[in-house]
Amino acid sequence: MVRAVRGCVLLGAALFGLAACGAPTSPVPVATGADTVTITMTDFQLTPNPATLTPGAYRFHAVNAGRTTHAIALSGPGVPEQRTVVLQPGQTADLTATVQPGEYDVYCPVDGHRAKGMETHLHVGAAAATPAPSSGDTGGY
Ligand SMILES: [Cu+2]
């Protein structure tokens, strides 16, 4: 009988220990899914993939798929502007940044390219799901 009681106490302690270990204190944000964002540069457009991120550290892999020189500038909450070197066609370069919820600007700093359309945004949200746009009245007609 004494043994039975003790066993029960031990089991309870073990369960409590497991429960206490269920929430480890991790200082490193968990990157969910892809930890590399590929930004393809063409004349004159930027295509980030993916364009919607969860908070965390990422490698931004810039690929110049155009026929002229391009580069990438990235800035946003907690990230002072970072730039790659100017890339010749076919060249690539990487930036690393830790993003937090908010909107990040990405553009090509080569003369005039931003105005020609080489500008995009990355959306970082805590929630992964984005609601589908509710189709309302298209208006105007
Ligand atoms: Cu450019």
Side-chain angles (χ1 to χ4, degrees):
M1 182 169 178
V2 171
R3 289 182 66 182
V5 170
R6 181 183 287 173
C8 197
V9 170
L10 286 175
L11 180 60
L15 287 174
F16 181 78
L18 283 175
C21 290
T25 55
S26 170
V28 180
V30 177
T32 60
D35 58 359
T36 297
V37 179
T38 299
I39 300 174
T40 304
M41 301 173 278
T42 55
D43 313 323
F44 293 90
Q45 198 168 22
L46 295 178
T47 306
N49 182 31
T52 301
L53 312 175
T54 53
Y58 289 87
R59 180 173 71 107
F60 295 90
H61 182 59
V63 178
N64 186 352
R67 295 182 178 184
T68 184
T69 57
H70 296 298
I72 288 294
L74 169 73
S75 64
V79 178
E81 184 173 280
Q82 294 192 49
R83 293 186 179 192
T84 65
V85 296
V86 174
L87 301 171
Q88 301 299 318
Q91 289 187 321
T92 66
D94 288 352
L95 295 175
T96 55
T98 299
V99 299
Q100 52 192 262
E103 186 146 320
Y104 289 76
D105 294 325
V106 183
Y107 70 94
C108 175
V110 174
D111 288 346
H113 290 191
R114 186 178 194 173
K116 290 180 179 176
M118 296 191 73
E119 179 179 33
T120 189
H121 299 94
L122 296 170
H123 306 277
V124 182
T130 48
S134 58
S135 59
D137 113 72
T138 51
Y141 288 93

